[in-house]
Amino acid sequence: MAERYDVLVIGAGPGGYVAAIRAAQLGMSVACIEKRATLGGTCLNIGCIPSKALLDSSELYAQAKSHLDKHGIHVGPVRLDLPAMLARKDRVVKSLTDGVAFLFKKNKIASYIGTGRLMGEGKVAVTGANAEETILEARHIILATGSEPAGLPALPFDGSAIVSSTEALSFERVPQSLIVVGGGYIGLELGSVWARLGAKVTVLEFMPRILPQSDGEIANLLYRSLLKQGLAIQLQTKVTGAGAQGGQMVVDAQHEGKDVRFQGDKVLVAVGRRPFTKGLGLSEVGVQTDERSGRVLVDENFETNVKGIFAIGDLIEGPMLAHKAEEDGIACVERLAGMKTQVHYETVPSVVYTWPEVASVGLTEEQVQSSGRDYRVGKFPFTANPRARCMDETEGVVKILADAQTDRVLGVHIFGPRASELIAECVTVMEFAGSAEDIARICHSHPTLSEAVREAALAVGRRAIHI
Ligand code: FAD
Ligand code: NAD
């Protein structure tokens, strides 16, 4: 007889594994099916974690090469040991994927390694590595199969010269030159990694600016900073094709109506991701997807049009971010348990882990402007922040947008050192529907980077102290 569970999750990424753990905490019997041999999904295996491990390592390398001198530390010739750097990254990944396996055991979650396929009401087939099939049954099935690189028809991935982020996390050698198609999260993060390690990186972006969804002023500051760091960035450049020539890759593109050509050892295509539903059996059981984006359509309970089948994370609408997937997972199972949990998508923060980092929450200035409401802006530069001076990391600014009448914080955009950590305070304030005055009245430790957030809040009321 088939094993029967209260909740069966397909996909063990941050959406799926967090949903599984929360369901187990709520007393449900839970199983999770994952086709990869390790748990943690894109995020832990080939996404957030390995990319951040390389960003941190390459940042230290760049610091050792050109920044430590300023602190009076002379280290002599700095040598890159790429295999050791990659091995460290792999160890970080392993420690965290093993950690999820431990949490599954601790929470008594049955873990199936194999590919899950919907078989109709309450039934899922799991196909293992040797094609053996197991049938599982569940009251609730949660689809959490994530996303995959979107790619471009003109530049099909070949896994070696034209690659996705997955291969760009493990280049065996630093390419002399790397062409990056797409000036979004992946292009700028992995472009930064390889530029710091010595590659000549050229980013080709289709739009007139990098990070097209983010606050324009902040994106422009990052753009100028990356140019200073040695990346070449070609905006308004539409890639039309690619081919090999003399051992190199040649990428053809159009820029302002003219044909242009770029040469590099490798091409990283990072033009977005699309939901991954291959082999899941969606159409067989009638689960509806959005025709244009391919995302699974769900209601406020994360339930699809087929009763008992739910979907979360990158598979459904919203930003394709790990922390958003986690929130979906928790809300989905808490709602199954009768709780009224809601995800506040408008306060999901986003971070681009370049150096300096870009972190945002809420509306961009462009969005506030187009909403037609009156607003005020408070800005404070890190040059005037004592801790940033101590660190010798004074590039960047905190920008707070607040409603002119109510002073409610509408959006915060930070370009600066450790912006990824600073944004948490702003998310908290926005979650509590707080005002710029609220941030301005909170005592912040001195000397910390967070004082720049407070000063930006004071600047909304035209009363910043230290500038
Ligand atoms: P996924 O993490 O994609 O997990 C889905 C899982 O389902 C996978 O393990 C897959 O193998 C499995 N699966 C698929 N089909 C089946 C099936 N039929 N049967 C069984 N298993 C199946 N986000 C951030 O918030 N911060 C970051 O810093 C960040 N960095 C990133 C860097 C890179 C290079 C990439 C590619 C992504 C990054 N992301 C980041 C995005 C983040 O990884 C995703 O938003 C997140 O992983 C989505 O979680 P998920 O659970 O929806 O899906
Ligand atoms: P992206 O959506 O962030 O950026 C894609 C970029 O490619 C955009 O700027 C777009 O204008 C450009 N583009 C699209 N078509 C193009 C073309 N034909 N030629 C040139 N440029 C083109 O996508 P991504 O960088 O591939 O990342 C995928 C997703 O993964 C992100 O949207 C994000 O959700 C997630 N991610 C998050 C992080 C993070 O949180 N730090 C890091 C990496 C990835």
Side-chain angles (χ1 to χ4, degrees), residues 182 184-186 189 205-207 212 270-273 320-321 351 353:
Y185 286 82
I186 292 176
E189 289 185 357
E205 167 58 49
F206 179 66
M207 300 295 281
V271 294
R273 293 177 64 83
M320 287 185 166
L321 298 174
V351 179
Y353 295 84

Side-chain angles (χ1 to χ4, degrees), residues 165-220:
S165 51
T166 305
E167 294 79 23
L169 290 167
S170 300
F171 289 150
E172 279 172 12
R173 279 182 294 279
V174 179
Q176 274 197 345
S177 48
L178 173 67
I179 298 174
V180 177
V181 184
Y185 286 82
I186 292 176
L188 301 181
E189 289 185 357
L190 291 182
S192 292
V193 165
W194 294 107
R196 289 168 190 168
L197 299 183
K200 179 181 169 298
V201 173
T202 305
V203 178
L204 310 181
E205 167 58 49
F206 179 66
M207 300 295 281
R209 43 175 281 212
I210 57 169
L211 299 177
Q213 313 297 328
S214 60
D215 187 273
E217 181 183 8
I218 295 292
N220 193 36

Side-chain angles (χ1 to χ4, degrees), residues 67 70-71 387-395:
H67 211 81
K70 290 190 190 156
H71 291 267
R387 187 62 192 276
R389 292 248 167 200
C390 296
M391 293 164 70
D392 199 22
E393 293 291 354
T394 53
E395 188 177 5

Side-chain angles (χ1 to χ4, degrees), residues 388-430:
R389 292 248 167 200
C390 296
M391 293 164 70
D392 199 22
E393 293 291 354
T394 53
E395 188 177 5
V397 66
V398 178
K399 173 175 174 178
I400 297 182
L401 304 161
D403 187 282
Q405 268 80 50
T406 64
D407 195 40
R408 184 171 173 169
V409 177
L410 303 171
V412 182
H413 306 279
I414 307 175
F415 173 60
R418 301 286 170 226
S420 53
E421 306 292 341
L422 298 176
I423 202 70
E425 170 186 9
C426 309
V427 177
T428 308
V429 169
M430 286 186 70

Side-chain angles (χ1 to χ4, degrees), residues 175-428:
Q176 274 197 345
S177 48
L178 173 67
I179 298 174
V180 177
V181 184
Y185 286 82
I186 292 176
L188 301 181
E189 289 185 357
L190 291 182
S192 292
V193 165
W194 294 107
R196 289 168 190 168
L197 299 183
K200 179 181 169 298
V201 173
T202 305
V203 178
L204 310 181
E205 167 58 49
F206 179 66
M207 300 295 281
R209 43 175 281 212
I210 57 169
L211 299 177
Q213 313 297 328
S214 60
D215 187 273
E217 181 183 8
I218 295 292
N220 193 36
L221 290 175
L222 175 63
Y223 170 74
R224 290 189 346 226
S225 178
L226 292 174
L227 293 184
K228 272 194 284 171
Q229 292 172 41
L231 282 86
I233 305 177
Q234 305 287 329
L235 301 173
Q236 288 179 287
T237 302
K238 184 174 188 282
V239 170
T240 52
Q245 208 174 71
Q248 281 227 307
M249 290 307 296
V250 173
V251 174
D252 290 313
Q254 287 244 309
H255 173 68
E256 292 175 347
K258 291 197 195 88
D259 290 336
V260 281
R261 183 164 260 210
F262 302 91
Q263 266 192 329
D265 297 340
K266 287 190 185 287
V267 184
L268 162 61
V269 179
V271 294
R273 293 177 64 83
R274 61 172 173 228
F276 182 79
T277 56
K278 208 167 108 200
L280 194 51
L282 290 188
S283 51
E284 287 85 335
V285 298
V287 170
Q288 279 175 2
T289 55
D290 178 70
E291 239 176 64
R292 201 185 51 82
S293 65
R295 299 217 193 188
V296 174
L297 298 170
V298 292
D299 65 12
E300 68 282 5
N301 292 319
F302 301 89
E303 193 163 17
T304 68
N305 60 307
V306 178
K307 205 168 156 21
I309 301 183
F310 300 76
I312 57 172
D314 280 9
L315 207 49
I316 65 169
E317 203 190 332
M320 287 185 166
L321 298 174
H323 42 283
K324 180 269 187 185
E326 292 186 25
E327 295 305 320
D328 283 355
I330 288 172
C332 177
V333 293
E334 288 189 349
R335 282 180 161 247
L336 287 180
M339 296 162 75
K340 298 280 176 241
T341 313
Q342 290 210 338
V343 183
H344 297 158
Y345 292 103
E346 63 285 0
T347 49
V348 171
S350 64
V351 179
V352 187
Y353 295 84
T354 46
W355 192 270
E357 296 172 336
V358 172
S360 300
V361 59
L363 301 177
T364 62
E365 188 160 5
E366 290 81 353
Q367 287 170 328
V368 176
Q369 277 167 355
S370 65
S371 75
R373 70 212 306 169
D374 284 341
Y375 68 100
R376 286 191 293 184
V377 188
K379 288 186 214 168
F380 191 80
F382 283 100
T383 42
N385 173 268
R387 187 62 192 276
R389 292 248 167 200
C390 296
M391 293 164 70
D392 199 22
E393 293 291 354
T394 53
E395 188 177 5
V397 66
V398 178
K399 173 175 174 178
I400 297 182
L401 304 161
D403 187 282
Q405 268 80 50
T406 64
D407 195 40
R408 184 171 173 169
V409 177
L410 303 171
V412 182
H413 306 279
I414 307 175
F415 173 60
R418 301 286 170 226
S420 53
E421 306 292 341
L422 298 176
I423 202 70
E425 170 186 9
C426 309
V427 177
T428 308

